[in-house]
Amino acid sequence: MNQKVALVTGAGSGMGASTAERFAREGIAVGVLDINYSAAKSVEAEIVKKGGKAIALEADVSNQKSVITAVNALRKELGGITVLVNNAAVEEFCPFESITEASWDKIMDVNLKGVYLVTQAVLPDMVNSAWGRIINIGAFGAQMSTPSMGHYYASKGGMFSLTRCLAAELGSKGITVNTVSPGFIDTPMARRAIEEGKFPVAPEIIYGAYPIPRMGKPEEIAAACAFLASEDAGYITAQLLGVNGGAVV
Ligand SMILES: NC(=O)c1ccc[n+]([C@@H]2O[C@H](COP(=O)([O-])OP(=O)(O)OC[C@H]3O[C@@H](n4cnc5c(N)ncnc54)[C@H](O)[C@@H]3O)[C@@H](O)[C@H]2O)c1
């Protein structure tokens, strides 16, 4: 049997790194793509040390040329890509009236256009295999009404719609497309926001009000991705799976 090959974007840190490591433990060969190459290399080294197969890839998901070069390198090295996790994203806290055009464009380019570019680059392999799993990483705030991150949540809302459209287009080709929508997860992104005082109250007060009153772990997002990438999830498509401790009630 051919080994499955996955591409995880933003895999140099947080949930992307955990997902790449989880896939490798399950015997999936992984392309560890990040704009931060040294971070991707560290994740690659960790996977290889534990007996898994991985290659680090440097790319900016918002740049088509860079994406195509990285995808071609992965395909050449490990074979056709049949699992894709669109995880790379940037966030910014900013009241709506102060969002600059440059920062609107940056957030949309990385978080939404990046999903389009990477998915389009990888898709021919899934179509050739008549099998594929596309998993987009959303954000629970885009399912609620959350202040001061309009551009970020608009990008994630666009991703939710794109997930459903792609699911409708690709289901008959054997490809499922779903969103995993994380809650408040303990990653460098969340830690940065806490340290920079971006939340109006202490984080304990925020997550203390959730049905499961703690931050989530990156490994819990990785577990959801591993399930959606598995054979067992073959009849699940166009769905949004919240992994958020019940925060969206
Ligand atoms: N941490 C949370 O609480 C939380 C909550 C909801 C949703 N999310 C989402 O989860 C996903 C993972 O977030 P995280 O918390 O692990 O973040 P993180 O900042 O720890 O990791 C994101 C990674 O993406 C990479 N990246 C950024 N821009 C890139 C680009 N243009 N091209 C390629 N790589 C790029 C970064 O270098 C970094 O390694 C993101 O989609 C984020 O929006 C996070």
Side-chain angles (χ1 to χ4, degrees), residues 24-40:
R25 280 208 309 277
E26 302 208 353
I28 301 174
V30 197
V32 178
L33 184 150
D34 209 286
I35 199 166
N36 180 342
Y37 187 59
S38 64

Side-chain angles (χ1 to χ4, degrees), residues 42-62:
S42 304
V43 174
E44 177 203 75
E46 198 56 37
I47 290 173
V48 171
K49 197 170 82 188
K50 291 181 183 148
K53 204 184 251 190
I55 59 164
L57 303 158
E58 180 178 14
D60 173 354
V61 295
S62 67

Side-chain angles (χ1 to χ4, degrees), residues 162-179:
L162 182 59
T163 299
R164 291 191 295 268
C165 292
L166 281 176
E169 251 179 83
L170 302 174
S172 64
K173 299 182 198 299
I175 300 164
T176 66
V177 192
N178 293 288
T179 298

Side-chain angles (χ1 to χ4, degrees), residues 116-194:
Y116 144 65
L117 290 176
V118 180
T119 305
Q120 200 178 61
V122 165
L123 200 51
D125 292 348
M126 298 189 184
V127 172
N128 281 341
S129 306
W131 195 96
R133 298 281 192 263
I134 299 170
I135 301 158
N136 297 325
I137 305 299
F140 73 138
Q143 299 166 253
M144 305 191 290
S145 96
T146 313
S148 288
M149 294 182 90
H151 44 359
Y152 174 74
Y153 288 128
S155 72
K156 296 293 187 180
M159 172 195 269
F160 295 163
S161 283
L162 182 59
T163 299
R164 291 191 295 268
C165 292
L166 281 176
E169 251 179 83
L170 302 174
S172 64
K173 299 182 198 299
I175 300 164
T176 66
V177 192
N178 293 288
T179 298
V180 168
S181 192
F184 198 2
I185 311 295
D186 196 353
T187 67
M189 181 187 273
R191 287 280 153 202
R192 272 192 306 274
I194 293 168

